[in-house]
């Protein structure tokens, strides 16, 4: 792969937020070009060997809820062979057992591809045992099962990836129509992560475009309504502390993202669709230097956050309705609003945005989504000793 090096960065405590990087060539060539060792180069060539090294150690977590099987199969076909897919499903079990259908499709696919995989149902007792045995009750609801929600499935996926010894975790939604785009995201994850000299790094994808039909013509929109609003308020938060206006943050809601495992285990998380915005808030709260950091070693090593623009258009099942969009906006702005690092003037602007957009009532405050403490608090040794999660049919170990 050949990538543009990020031209600008913003530093916030131990965090380095890199400007969007453009992909020049999805394939960077077999030979390494000497010119890239020059200190003046502006393009980075990442060798295939380095990409493969990371992919071998990466789990790609695919959250699924009642998606078409054909879409999920397409997503699987786009995942590089060496990455381990972890399918975390919250699909219906009755009247028709959609999860069983997913299991059967994934199993057949992976047999043909001779590929290892993991599949688990979010609400299965076997998955819940990991969190019971690991003394991490936060993810469990009153029934003792993993809470519903996309973030909750993602957290369960991270814990499984850690149990299986993976060093990186990436996330790709299961409703993607283009396997080529999925393949690109996975490659961008490894290209992005390969740039960091710190053990703590994250890559977030900004879609090159999201095609829509407008007046019977294809229109290649860049930002959706939710991203536009979330990015605006994240940038205002950053500007408040740096004293300079910025537009650097473009990936506030990036569903497609990857983390090095040491960082994935240290961040706090928030529920449902606020998870991606909350990554930034957790980074600022824990490592921004505004509040004392519980992890001084991370403050020394630093954290790299890369934002990369994909080349493929992103086409997914978009018709989830206005209420879904409004809920995503409220949750995203809610985690900014309720953070102790959010200044009063920004809180007022958020209230105005939500009230004028009729997303919340006139005198209401935005929801404060449930929070989950860092997954480093899970006792992986105790969780790994229980064999339930490995034996049961819901969970096929790699
Ligand atoms: N395991 C699990 N559990 N998966 C879920 C759940 C759940 O409760 N709810 C949804 N999913 C899966 C869906 O099947 C899909 O693959 C993925 O999570 C995203 O859900 P969508 O409902 O399709 O979300 P979206 O397309 O509106 O939003 C996506 O893109 C946003 C960026 O524009 C999500 O990835 C957002 O988190 C992201 O911010």
């Amino acid at each position: 792969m050949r990538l543009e090096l990020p031209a600008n960065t913003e530093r916030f405590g131990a965090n380095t937020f890199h400007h969007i990087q453009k992909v020049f060539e999805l394939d960077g060539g077999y030979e390494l070009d000497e010119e890239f060792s020059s200190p003046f180069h502006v393009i980075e060539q990442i060798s295939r060997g380095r990409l493969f090294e990371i992919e071998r150690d990466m789990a790609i977590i695919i959250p699924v809820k009642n998606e078409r099987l054909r879409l999920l199969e397409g997503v699987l076909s786009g995942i590089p062979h060496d990455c381990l897919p972890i399918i975390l499903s919250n699909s219906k079990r009755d009247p028709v057992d959609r999860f069983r259908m997913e299991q059967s499709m994934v199993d057949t696919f992976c047999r043909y591809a001779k590929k290892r995989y993991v599949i688990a149902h979010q609400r299965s007792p076997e998955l819940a045992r990991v969190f019971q045995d690991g003394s991490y009750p936060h993810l469990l609801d009153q029934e003792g099962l993993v809470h519903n929600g996309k973030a909750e499935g993602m957290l369960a996926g991270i814990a499984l990836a850690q149990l299986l010894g993976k060093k990186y975790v990436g996330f790709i939604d299961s409703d993607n129509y283009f396997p080529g785009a999925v393949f690109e995201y996975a490659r961008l994850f490894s290209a992005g992560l390969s740039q960091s000299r710190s053990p703590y790094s994250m890559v977030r994808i900004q879609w090159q475009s999201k095609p829509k039909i407008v007046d019977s013509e294809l229109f290649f929109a860049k930002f959706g309504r939710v991203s536009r609003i979330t990015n605006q308020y994240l940038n205002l938060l950053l500007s408040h502390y740096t004293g300079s206006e910025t537009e650097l943050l473009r990936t506030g809601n990036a569903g497609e993202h990857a983390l090095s495992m040491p960082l994935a285990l240290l961040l706090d998380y928030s529920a449902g669709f606020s998870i991606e915005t909350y990554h930034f808030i957790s980074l600022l709260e824990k490592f921004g230097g505004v509040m004392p950091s519980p992890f001084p070693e991370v403050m020394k090593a630093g954290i790299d956050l890369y934002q990369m623009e994909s080349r493929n258009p992103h086409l997914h099942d978009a018709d989830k309705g206005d209420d879904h969009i409004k809920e995503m906006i409220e949750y995203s702005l809610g985690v900014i609003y309720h953070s102790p690092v959010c200044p009063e003037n920004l809180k007022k602007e958020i209230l105005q945005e939500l009230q004028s957009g009729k997303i919340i009532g006139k005198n209401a405050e935005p929801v404060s989504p449930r929070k989950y403490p860092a997954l480093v608090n899970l006792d992986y040794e105790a969780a790994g000793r229980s064999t339930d999660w490995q034996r049961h049919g819901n969970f096929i170990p790699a």
Side-chain angles (χ1 to χ4, degrees):
M1 186 168 291
R2 294 191 184 208
L3 288 177
E4 174 190 49
L5 287 176
N8 295 316
T9 56
E10 290 277 1
R11 289 193 170 73
F12 196 121
N15 299 299
T16 304
F17 299 134
H18 297 274
H19 195 264
I20 284 282
Q21 289 178 267
K22 186 171 164 177
V23 178
F24 272 87
E25 285 184 309
L26 287 168
D27 184 279
Y30 181 66
E31 304 287 348
L32 274 185
D33 190 328
E34 287 287 301
E35 271 192 31
F36 291 110
S37 53
S38 147
F40 301 109
H41 69 285
V42 290
I43 302 283
E44 176 120 56
Q45 182 187 16
I46 299 162
S47 73
R48 288 180 187 177
R50 184 72 189 118
L51 295 173
F52 284 122
E53 263 171 30
I54 294 187
E55 284 168 11
R56 261 196 336 231
D57 288 328
M58 181 151 60
I60 301 277
I61 295 162
I62 307 170
V64 190
K65 190 172 174 189
N66 304 325
E67 303 292 354
R68 288 173 220 195
L69 287 184
R70 214 173 272 277
L71 284 185
L72 176 58
E73 192 195 354
V75 168
L76 285 175
S77 73
I79 306 245
H81 184 78
D82 290 315
C83 297
L84 173 73
I86 299 184
I87 297 111
L88 227 306
S89 171
N90 198 10
S91 297
K92 282 188 203 146
R93 311 271 347 229
D94 62 87
V96 176
D97 192 345
R98 289 199 60 86
F99 176 62
R100 188 170 290 277
M101 289 157 73
E102 289 162 3
Q103 255 185 324
S104 153
M105 183 278 287
V106 172
D107 188 67
T108 307
F109 177 91
C110 290
R111 262 172 223 280
Y112 276 82
K114 283 183 90 176
K115 192 176 169 79
R116 283 134 60 103
Y117 71 95
V118 173
I119 183 165
H121 196 274
Q122 192 162 333
R123 305 282 294 162
S124 67
E126 295 73 27
L127 186 65
R129 271 293 292 275
V130 170
F131 300 93
Q132 283 154 12
D133 294 350
S135 311
Y136 185 97
H138 320 281
L139 202 58
L140 304 176
D141 65 7
Q142 284 176 335
E143 290 173 63
L145 302 177
V146 172
H147 275 287
N148 287 306
K150 182 195 155 202
E152 290 70 4
M154 292 164 66
L155 262 67
I158 298 174
L160 296 182
Q162 166 70 0
L163 278 170
L164 292 163
K166 293 292 159 187
K167 295 186 185 151
Y168 306 97
V169 273
F171 300 88
I172 297 185
D173 286 349
S174 56
D175 59 346
N176 194 314
Y177 279 89
F178 292 156
V182 171
F183 179 69
E184 183 185 4
Y185 300 150
R187 274 284 139 89
L188 287 178
F189 293 163
S190 37
L193 292 165
S194 78
Q195 299 174 99
S196 181
R197 302 281 161 266
S198 162
Y200 310 102
S201 54
M202 183 186 307
V203 178
R204 301 170 75 88
I205 309 290
Q206 182 194 324
W207 306 325
Q208 206 269 349
S209 64
K210 196 170 151 183
K212 299 178 180 174
I213 308 278
V214 178
D215 294 336
S216 319
E217 302 272 345
L218 255 186
F219 177 71
F220 291 86
K222 195 152 191 83
F223 292 105
R225 199 169 130 207
V226 184
S227 307
R228 213 181 287 277
I229 294 178
T230 307
N231 292 339
Q232 181 191 342
Y233 287 93
L234 282 174
N235 280 313
L236 284 171
L237 178 61
L238 206 58
S239 310
H240 169 84
Y241 285 99
T242 60
S244 305
E245 200 171 4
T246 182
E247 287 183 341
L248 187 118
L249 301 182
R250 309 260 187 97
T251 53
N253 295 100
E256 273 67 37
H257 61 270
L259 298 109
S260 64
M261 189 57 90
L263 181 59
L265 296 182
L266 293 187
L267 286 181
D268 292 339
Y269 292 97
S270 70
F273 288 105
S274 63
I275 181 168
E276 286 94 8
T277 307
Y278 192 67
H279 287 144
F280 282 104
I281 301 302
S282 187
L283 286 172
L284 299 188
E285 289 178 357
K286 286 187 144 174
F287 310 113
V290 182
M291 295 158 63
S293 175
F295 303 107
E297 68 283 8
V298 184
M299 296 304 285
K300 285 209 180 74
I303 296 162
D304 279 310
L305 185 142
Y306 299 97
Q307 306 181 93
M308 308 180 84
E309 185 180 277
S310 59
R311 284 281 177 176
N312 279 280
H314 185 93
L315 192 66
H316 66 149
D317 247 353
D319 196 14
K320 305 235 159 103
D322 203 42
D323 286 348
H324 179 63
I325 301 284
K326 284 185 169 171
E327 186 186 316
M328 282 174 75
I329 296 175
E330 181 182 353
Y331 271 65
S332 291
L333 297 192
V335 291
I336 306 177
Y337 180 91
H338 290 287
S339 168
V341 299
C342 184
E344 282 306 316
N345 58 351
L346 190 57
K347 282 187 174 200
K348 280 192 196 135
E349 288 186 49
I350 290 177
L351 278 185
Q352 217 167 13
E353 173 81 48
L354 293 172
Q355 288 169 357
S356 64
K358 300 204 172 9
I359 294 171
I360 59 172
K362 218 168 170 206
N363 297 311
E365 283 205 325
V367 65
S368 177
R370 191 182 316 112
K371 303 288 181 329
Y372 300 107
L375 284 165
V376 73
N377 296 306
L378 196 151
D379 181 345
Y380 290 91
E381 236 183 85
R385 271 199 297 272
S386 139
T387 49
D388 249 28
W389 59 279
Q390 296 186 9
R391 259 190 297 112
H392 200 274
N394 283 352
F395 188 100
I396 294 139

